[in-house]
Amino acid sequence: MSLYLGIESSCDETATAIYDADRGLLCHRIHSQIELHACYGGVVPELAARDHCLKIIPLIDDVIQAAQLPSIASLSGIAYTRGPGLIGALLVGATVARSLGFALQIPTLGIHHLEAHLMAVMLEAQRPEFPFLALLVSGGHTQLLRVDGLGHYQLLGETLDDAVGEAFDKVAKWMGLPYPGGRVIEQYAKQGNAARFTGRWAFPRPMTDRPGLDFSFSGLKTHTIQCYQTIEQEPTAIADIACAFQEAVMDTLYIKCKRALKQTGLSRLVIVGGVGANQQLRMRLTELMSICKEGQLFYPRSEFCTDNAAMVAYLGCMRMGRGERDDALAIKPLARWELS
Ligand code: KG4
Ligand code: ZN
């Protein structure tokens, strides 16, 4: 048996998982710090790191038990998120993983958080074959990538400023909604009327009127906030703004995905990252793939769109199975780390 422990601690979720090379994912746990940070309207890095320290060992014990391993010594390897992310938060996962690896005399491997998000779709029974186009939309990143295989990624376009999730969170904050804002905006948008905004207040679809696959969401965010300020006294203000903002984001992602599919000739599209949990996004891209020749859409279940350790354990299993390991004893998390 080849059993891998996965540890994720890059931001505000402490997560652990056990992945078996033969039987697949055995179990996973996620502790979210949302309540801890809620009153600050965003993640406080120092509090995040301290909370990871409190939760990480109990969560490791928990998955070892849930997977019915006789002991932690049954593990073949440990994968942990090395970066990118909050440095203090990353340091907790990296230190625990490397110390455990040293004590148990088993290999460890630092995993790239975005690569783990990309591969989260492989945890599903409905998984794509390579190559595919990936839309990675999270709180920190917005990218379009061509994926030809494990470790073979070509960046086709990315955001020049705010990530999609970040724009959702900032717009929500301005409207007095709780953090993280993505899911809350999605709920409000269901009752909203986007069509009321016309003329000067029509919501832009940024960078869709020029060629290329890059994105920009900070102008749309500012437009949304200014528009909200003009109508905030109205009872339907939040719902209407949420609806118009979400529609503008989804239209933009739709147009860029369509363009990328045409440019690459790919017929499989994968949505990953926290914003991938958005039902409206899934609906729009299902529409898009239905008009593409042999188009197929794939996405992980919602709990594997947002941060989790199942994706880290899976990728650890794949990479350590090929003989990859951390080399020196040093513990070196990376707050910034390009996927390429
Ligand atoms: O991937 P993730 O858990 O963390 C990062 O690596 O960034 O993504 C979190 C982001 C947050 O910005 C959150 O607001 C957004 O994903 N998000 C959503 C939804 N669920 C989470 N955005 C839109 N609609 C959702 N349903
Ligand atoms: Zn993430």
Side-chain angles (χ1 to χ4, degrees):
M1 263 197 307
S2 291
L3 292 160
Y4 294 88
L5 168 66
I7 297 176
E8 155 65 30
S9 72
S10 64
C11 188
D12 58 346
E13 263 94 27
T14 322
T16 55
I18 305 280
Y19 193 91
D20 181 335
D22 302 317
R23 292 178 292 163
L25 182 67
L26 299 187
C27 62
H28 80 107
R29 296 285 183 268
I30 304 174
H31 169 75
S32 168
Q33 303 178 352
I34 285 177
E35 278 177 29
L36 176 71
H37 302 289
C39 62
Y40 303 101
V43 179
V44 182
E46 180 61 27
L47 293 182
R50 284 166 189 255
D51 200 57
H52 286 308
C53 288
L54 293 177
K55 302 293 172 3
I56 199 161
I57 301 292
L59 284 172
I60 291 173
D61 284 340
D62 204 356
V63 285
I64 298 288
Q65 265 196 12
Q68 299 182 325
L69 306 192
S71 85
I72 196 166
S74 319
L75 292 174
S76 326
I78 304 174
Y80 61 94
T81 304
R82 186 177 176 205
L86 302 171
I87 194 68
L90 290 166
L91 196 55
V92 178
T95 307
V96 168
R98 300 235 52 194
S99 309
L100 265 180
F102 182 71
L104 297 168
Q105 291 294 297
I106 56 171
T108 63
L109 185 66
I111 295 291
H112 195 293
H113 183 71
L114 297 188
E115 185 181 30
H117 270 305
L118 271 185
M119 291 297 144
V121 70
M122 297 303 185
L123 291 161
E124 304 302 338
Q126 286 264 48
R127 42 160 73 184
E129 281 173 33
F130 298 114
F132 56 78
L133 175 73
L135 174 68
L136 195 161
V137 271
S138 72
H141 297 84
T142 299
Q143 300 186 337
L144 271 167
L145 299 133
R146 181 191 165 101
V147 179
D148 284 295
L150 189 71
H152 297 279
Y153 315 116
Q154 187 192 349
L155 182 65
L156 303 172
E158 64 182 333
T159 183
L160 305 178
D161 39 60
D162 290 5
V164 178
E166 186 184 357
F168 265 96
D169 295 342
K170 286 180 177 165
V171 164
K173 194 173 175 180
W174 266 95
M175 297 199 290
L177 302 175
Y179 175 86
R183 221 175 328 155
V184 190
I185 289 200
E186 183 177 13
Q187 290 311 316
Y188 272 98
K190 288 179 185 161
Q191 285 104 47
N193 169 22
R196 64 173 282 187
F197 302 107
T198 54
R200 170 183 179 344
W201 293 114
F203 279 58
R205 272 59 175 161
M207 295 182 69
T208 53
D209 56 353
R210 66 187 95 158
L213 296 172
D214 284 335
F215 306 90
S216 160
F217 291 102
S218 94
L220 172 61
K221 174 193 68 186
T222 307
H223 175 92
T224 306
I225 292 166
Q226 286 175 346
C227 190
Y228 172 69
Q229 287 169 332
T230 66
I231 62 162
E232 63 183 312
Q233 307 304 337
E234 297 179 24
T236 63
I238 293 181
D240 291 347
I241 293 284
C243 184
F245 168 74
Q246 181 173 267
E247 221 176 83
V249 169
M250 298 316 160
D251 272 356
T252 306
L253 296 176
Y254 179 101
I255 293 166
K256 295 285 166 146
C257 284
K258 188 174 176 190
R259 202 177 277 177
L261 288 165
K262 190 162 177 225
Q263 184 178 310
T264 56
L266 295 169
S267 59
R268 288 178 284 268
L269 174 62
V270 168
I271 323 169
V272 289
V275 185
N278 187 289
Q279 298 300 322
Q280 200 62 31
L281 177 61
R282 292 177 177 188
M283 247 170 58
R284 292 300 313 276
L285 295 183
T286 302
E287 248 173 63
L288 172 61
M289 297 320 281
S290 73
I291 59 165
C292 278
K293 194 163 167 266
E294 293 173 11
Q296 284 179 292
L297 181 68
F298 301 86
Y299 44 79
R301 69 197 86 160
S302 291
E303 66 192 299
F304 294 160
C305 282
T306 43
D307 290 347
N308 66 87
M311 62 187 191
V312 178
Y314 169 80
L315 188 53
C317 174
M318 293 300 121
R319 286 194 169 274
M320 281 194 259
R322 303 198 310 196
E324 291 180 42
R325 278 119 182 64
D326 284 336
D327 39 21
L329 255 188
I331 296 170
K332 285 189 185 157
L334 298 169
R336 290 175 173 275
W337 185 7
E338 293 298 320
L339 186 57
S340 52

PDB file of all heavy atoms in Angstrom, residues 298-314:
ATOM      1  N   PHE A 298     -15.625  19.949 -17.202  1.00  0.00           N
ATOM      2  CA  PHE A 298     -15.316  19.205 -15.978  1.00  0.00           C
ATOM      3  C   PHE A 298     -15.069  20.183 -14.843  1.00  0.00           C
ATOM      4  O   PHE A 298     -14.500  21.249 -15.054  1.00  0.00           O
ATOM      5  CB  PHE A 298     -14.043  18.366 -16.157  1.00  0.00           C
ATOM      6  CG  PHE A 298     -14.118  17.366 -17.278  1.00  0.00           C
ATOM      7  CD1 PHE A 298     -13.800  17.752 -18.575  1.00  0.00           C
ATOM      8  CD2 PHE A 298     -14.503  16.061 -17.035  1.00  0.00           C
ATOM      9  CE1 PHE A 298     -13.867  16.840 -19.625  1.00  0.00           C
ATOM     10  CE2 PHE A 298     -14.570  15.135 -18.068  1.00  0.00           C
ATOM     11  CZ  PHE A 298     -14.247  15.525 -19.375  1.00  0.00           C
ATOM     12  N   TYR A 299     -15.497  19.804 -13.638  1.00  0.00           N
ATOM     13  CA  TYR A 299     -15.136  20.587 -12.457  1.00  0.00           C
ATOM     14  C   TYR A 299     -15.200  19.682 -11.228  1.00  0.00           C
ATOM     15  O   TYR A 299     -15.939  18.706 -11.215  1.00  0.00           O
ATOM     16  CB  TYR A 299     -16.043  21.811 -12.279  1.00  0.00           C
ATOM     17  CG  TYR A 299     -17.509  21.558 -12.495  1.00  0.00           C
ATOM     18  CD1 TYR A 299     -18.296  20.973 -11.515  1.00  0.00           C
ATOM     19  CD2 TYR A 299     -18.111  21.902 -13.715  1.00  0.00           C
ATOM     20  CE1 TYR A 299     -19.638  20.754 -11.735  1.00  0.00           C
ATOM     21  CE2 TYR A 299     -19.456  21.665 -13.938  1.00  0.00           C
ATOM     22  CZ  TYR A 299     -20.223  21.095 -12.940  1.00  0.00           C
ATOM     23  OH  TYR A 299     -21.550  20.859 -13.162  1.00  0.00           O
ATOM     24  N   PRO A 300     -14.386  20.012 -10.211  1.00  0.00           N
ATOM     25  CA  PRO A 300     -14.442  19.216  -8.988  1.00  0.00           C
ATOM     26  C   PRO A 300     -15.710  19.548  -8.199  1.00  0.00           C
ATOM     27  O   PRO A 300     -16.294  20.617  -8.400  1.00  0.00           O
ATOM     28  CB  PRO A 300     -13.211  19.668  -8.199  1.00  0.00           C
ATOM     29  CG  PRO A 300     -12.516  20.698  -9.020  1.00  0.00           C
ATOM     30  CD  PRO A 300     -13.397  21.098 -10.137  1.00  0.00           C
ATOM     31  N   ARG A 301     -16.107  18.653  -7.274  1.00  0.00           N
ATOM     32  CA  ARG A 301     -17.215  18.992  -6.379  1.00  0.00           C
ATOM     33  C   ARG A 301     -16.822  20.261  -5.612  1.00  0.00           C
ATOM     34  O   ARG A 301     -15.616  20.557  -5.479  1.00  0.00           O
ATOM     35  CB  ARG A 301     -17.512  17.826  -5.438  1.00  0.00           C
ATOM     36  CG  ARG A 301     -16.445  17.574  -4.407  1.00  0.00           C
ATOM     37  CD  ARG A 301     -16.554  16.210  -3.761  1.00  0.00           C
ATOM     38  NE  ARG A 301     -15.863  15.209  -4.566  1.00  0.00           N
ATOM     39  CZ  ARG A 301     -15.459  14.015  -4.096  1.00  0.00           C
ATOM     40  NH1 ARG A 301     -15.733  13.654  -2.868  1.00  0.00           N
ATOM     41  NH2 ARG A 301     -14.823  13.165  -4.875  1.00  0.00           N
ATOM     42  N   SER A 302     -17.834  20.982  -5.103  1.00  0.00           N
ATOM     43  CA  SER A 302     -17.585  22.321  -4.533  1.00  0.00           C
ATOM     44  C   SER A 302     -16.536  22.312  -3.422  1.00  0.00           C
ATOM     45  O   SER A 302     -15.707  23.223  -3.338  1.00  0.00           O
ATOM     46  CB  SER A 302     -18.880  22.920  -4.006  1.00  0.00           C
ATOM     47  OG  SER A 302     -19.703  23.207  -5.107  1.00  0.00           O
ATOM     48  N   GLU A 303     -16.535  21.293  -2.562  1.00  0.00           N
ATOM     49  CA  GLU A 303     -15.571  21.281  -1.450  1.00  0.00           C
ATOM     50  C   GLU A 303     -14.135  21.100  -1.932  1.00  0.00           C
ATOM     51  O   GLU A 303     -13.195  21.387  -1.199  1.00  0.00           O
ATOM     52  CB  GLU A 303     -15.929  20.217  -0.413  1.00  0.00           C
ATOM     53  CG  GLU A 303     -15.816  18.809  -0.929  1.00  0.00           C
ATOM     54  CD  GLU A 303     -16.448  17.784   0.013  1.00  0.00           C
ATOM     55  OE1 GLU A 303     -15.993  17.674   1.152  1.00  0.00           O
ATOM     56  OE2 GLU A 303     -17.391  17.099  -0.417  1.00  0.00           O
ATOM     57  N   PHE A 304     -13.964  20.650  -3.198  1.00  0.00           N
ATOM     58  CA  PHE A 304     -12.614  20.540  -3.759  1.00  0.00           C
ATOM     59  C   PHE A 304     -12.283  21.703  -4.696  1.00  0.00           C
ATOM     60  O   PHE A 304     -11.209  21.749  -5.292  1.00  0.00           O
ATOM     61  CB  PHE A 304     -12.417  19.200  -4.478  1.00  0.00           C
ATOM     62  CG  PHE A 304     -12.463  17.997  -3.562  1.00  0.00           C
ATOM     63  CD1 PHE A 304     -12.722  16.735  -4.055  1.00  0.00           C
ATOM     64  CD2 PHE A 304     -12.238  18.143  -2.194  1.00  0.00           C
ATOM     65  CE1 PHE A 304     -12.776  15.629  -3.212  1.00  0.00           C
ATOM     66  CE2 PHE A 304     -12.292  17.049  -1.337  1.00  0.00           C
ATOM     67  CZ  PHE A 304     -12.563  15.788  -1.856  1.00  0.00           C
ATOM     68  N   CYS A 305     -13.257  22.638  -4.853  1.00  0.00           N
ATOM     69  CA  CYS A 305     -12.947  23.877  -5.586  1.00  0.00           C
ATOM     70  C   CYS A 305     -12.198  24.811  -4.650  1.00  0.00           C
ATOM     71  O   CYS A 305     -11.166  25.371  -4.999  1.00  0.00           O
ATOM     72  CB  CYS A 305     -14.239  24.561  -6.045  1.00  0.00           C
ATOM     73  SG  CYS A 305     -14.979  23.792  -7.484  1.00  0.00           S
ATOM     74  N   THR A 306     -12.717  24.982  -3.430  1.00  0.00           N
ATOM     75  CA  THR A 306     -12.036  25.830  -2.451  1.00  0.00           C
ATOM     76  C   THR A 306     -10.885  25.029  -1.821  1.00  0.00           C
ATOM     77  O   THR A 306     -10.713  23.843  -2.109  1.00  0.00           O
ATOM     78  CB  THR A 306     -13.040  26.304  -1.370  1.00  0.00           C
ATOM     79  OG1 THR A 306     -13.844  25.205  -0.996  1.00  0.00           O
ATOM     80  CG2 THR A 306     -13.938  27.400  -1.895  1.00  0.00           C
ATOM     81  N   ASP A 307     -10.103  25.696  -0.966  1.00  0.00           N
ATOM     82  CA  ASP A 307      -8.883  25.059  -0.448  1.00  0.00           C
ATOM     83  C   ASP A 307      -9.179  23.778   0.329  1.00  0.00           C
ATOM     84  O   ASP A 307     -10.078  23.744   1.162  1.00  0.00           O
ATOM     85  CB  ASP A 307      -8.123  26.062   0.435  1.00  0.00           C
ATOM     86  CG  ASP A 307      -7.513  27.173  -0.410  1.00  0.00           C
ATOM     87  OD1 ASP A 307      -7.480  27.026  -1.647  1.00  0.00           O
ATOM     88  OD2 ASP A 307      -7.077  28.178   0.170  1.00  0.00           O
ATOM     89  N   ASN A 308      -8.389  22.747   0.038  1.00  0.00           N
ATOM     90  CA  ASN A 308      -8.574  21.442   0.678  1.00  0.00           C
ATOM     91  C   ASN A 308      -7.256  20.684   0.594  1.00  0.00           C
ATOM     92  O   ASN A 308      -6.347  21.072  -0.144  1.00  0.00           O
ATOM     93  CB  ASN A 308      -9.693  20.677  -0.041  1.00  0.00           C
ATOM     94  CG  ASN A 308      -9.306  20.312  -1.469  1.00  0.00           C
ATOM     95  OD1 ASN A 308      -8.702  19.280  -1.720  1.00  0.00           O
ATOM     96  ND2 ASN A 308      -9.607  21.191  -2.424  1.00  0.00           N
ATOM     97  N   ALA A 309      -7.145  19.584   1.338  1.00  0.00           N
ATOM     98  CA  ALA A 309      -5.893  18.829   1.331  1.00  0.00           C
ATOM     99  C   ALA A 309      -5.992  17.592   0.438  1.00  0.00           C
ATOM    100  O   ALA A 309      -4.970  16.966   0.148  1.00  0.00           O
ATOM    101  CB  ALA A 309      -5.522  18.413   2.747  1.00  0.00           C
ATOM    102  N   ALA A 310      -7.211  17.256   0.000  1.00  0.00           N
ATOM    103  CA  ALA A 310      -7.351  16.082  -0.872  1.00  0.00           C
ATOM    104  C   ALA A 310      -6.537  16.301  -2.149  1.00  0.00           C
ATOM    105  O   ALA A 310      -5.826  15.405  -2.611  1.00  0.00           O
ATOM    106  CB  ALA A 310      -8.827  15.861  -1.203  1.00  0.00           C
ATOM    107  N   MET A 311      -6.602  17.519  -2.679  1.00  0.00           N
ATOM    108  CA  MET A 311      -5.871  17.828  -3.914  1.00  0.00           C
ATOM    109  C   MET A 311      -4.346  17.785  -3.683  1.00  0.00           C
ATOM    110  O   MET A 311      -3.591  17.419  -4.578  1.00  0.00           O
ATOM    111  CB  MET A 311      -6.310  19.197  -4.472  1.00  0.00           C
ATOM    112  CG  MET A 311      -6.046  20.384  -3.566  1.00  0.00           C
ATOM    113  SD  MET A 311      -6.786  21.900  -4.244  1.00  0.00           S
ATOM    114  CE  MET A 311      -6.055  23.162  -3.167  1.00  0.00           C
ATOM    115  N   VAL A 312      -3.929  18.128  -2.476  1.00  0.00           N
ATOM    116  CA  VAL A 312      -2.494  18.116  -2.140  1.00  0.00           C
ATOM    117  C   VAL A 312      -2.011  16.668  -1.999  1.00  0.00           C
ATOM    118  O   VAL A 312      -0.950  16.289  -2.520  1.00  0.00           O
ATOM    119  CB  VAL A 312      -2.236  18.902  -0.825  1.00  0.00           C
ATOM    120  CG1 VAL A 312      -0.764  18.858  -0.443  1.00  0.00           C
ATOM    121  CG2 VAL A 312      -2.724  20.340  -0.965  1.00  0.00           C
ATOM    122  N   ALA A 313      -2.823  15.832  -1.321  1.00  0.00           N
ATOM    123  CA  ALA A 313      -2.460  14.424  -1.134  1.00  0.00           C
ATOM    124  C   ALA A 313      -2.422  13.713  -2.486  1.00  0.00           C
ATOM    125  O   ALA A 313      -1.516  12.915  -2.760  1.00  0.00           O
ATOM    126  CB  ALA A 313      -3.463  13.754  -0.200  1.00  0.00           C
ATOM    127  N   TYR A 314      -3.401  14.030  -3.359  1.00  0.00           N
ATOM    128  CA  TYR A 314      -3.434  13.408  -4.690  1.00  0.00           C
ATOM    129  C   TYR A 314      -2.167  13.750  -5.489  1.00  0.00           C
ATOM    130  O   TYR A 314      -1.490  12.881  -6.024  1.00  0.00           O
ATOM    131  CB  TYR A 314      -4.680  13.865  -5.471  1.00  0.00           C
ATOM    132  CG  TYR A 314      -4.619  13.470  -6.924  1.00  0.00           C
ATOM    133  CD1 TYR A 314      -4.933  12.172  -7.313  1.00  0.00           C
ATOM    134  CD2 TYR A 314      -4.186  14.368  -7.905  1.00  0.00           C
ATOM    135  CE1 TYR A 314      -4.830  11.769  -8.643  1.00  0.00           C
ATOM    136  CE2 TYR A 314      -4.074  13.985  -9.231  1.00  0.00           C
ATOM    137  CZ  TYR A 314      -4.402  12.694  -9.592  1.00  0.00           C
ATOM    138  OH  TYR A 314      -4.277  12.307 -10.910  1.00  0.00           O
TER     139      TYR A 314
END
